[in-house]
Amino acid sequence: MLDLTTPGVRPRIAPAGLIFLAITSIGWGFNWPVTKFLLAELPPLTLRGVTGVLGALLLALLAVIRRQSLNVEGAIWPRLLTSAVLNVTGWMVLMGLALLWLPASEAALIAYTMPVWASIIAWPVLGEQPTLLRTLGLLLAFAGLATIMGGNGIAASVEKMPGIVMALAGAFGFAVGTVFSKKYPIRLPPITAAAWQIGIGCLPLSIVGLLVETTHLSQVTPVGWWLLVYSVVGQFCIAYVSWFAALARLPASVAAIGTMAVPVIGVVTSAVALGEPLGAGQIAALLLTLAAVVMATR
């Protein structure tokens, strides 16, 4: 088996990993308009935390049905807790706080600097030396994001600085979590690993949300209930399991760059589902991002 942590060795890109990465990008991309719709009916911490815990419980049930053990050896717990905090809790909390100071477009643009940090960290830690094609792919991906966000850049100011710091911290934390999961893989069945990480990561959010937020379930529309089902099953059960499966099969830098398709998919689906603008700029961004992902996987 190829040692993915050996410096100077170019890790193999498994086709199955690319399929899992595509499933992840689609699942998380669809979740943008879903979350935007649901936030009009439910408070943010409760929405993200409770749906995550429910998703973790469904994954645990699926693991039992498939006769995969839910037991975790003592030596694995530190890795499991660290990965859950970086990849789930930190990302959701910090990006949610960033939106208090930043427009969603600027927060998203900063959030998807994650592949830059992941590629930088993966070089010395995992020996994943960036190739010319991957570097060009990364530049194309950012060109696509700049296009989709209107090319306005980030209007930094003292008032926005807390949001910028939060978004950068969330992006950097997720990048660290991505590289950490490659350097110290969690030796558990994939469904079991996802169930524990999502459950551990979302449980604090759900507790805080239920304590400090007011939830009126009577205000949830029939469409909202169906979207909640998607949020539980699609975002957490399918997309997160696929993400961990992709990360186990792909170099960390490739997996990170692949996630840059998420905001593009989110904008396109938002245009279809919510009637948001979809013009030449969005279409150009989609083409640039798809080209970037293809180049990153060469």
Side-chain angles (χ1 to χ4, degrees), residues 218-273:
S218 59
Q219 296 180 359
V220 180
T221 62
V223 173
W225 284 111
W226 281 109
L227 293 181
L228 280 172
V229 172
Y230 172 81
S231 187
V232 172
V233 178
Q235 177 190 194
F236 289 107
C237 292
I238 297 176
Y240 257 104
V241 170
S242 296
W243 167 247
F244 293 131
L247 197 56
R249 293 166 172 82
L250 297 174
S253 55
V254 173
I257 293 172
T259 63
M260 299 189 81
V262 174
V264 177
I265 294 171
V267 169
V268 173
T269 54
S270 294
V272 174

Side-chain angles (χ1 to χ4, degrees), residues 70-81 186-188:
L70 291 172
N71 292 331
V72 178
E73 296 180 2
I76 296 178
W77 276 110
R79 299 183 182 186
L80 195 63
L81 292 170
I186 298 171
R187 306 297 184 184
L188 290 173

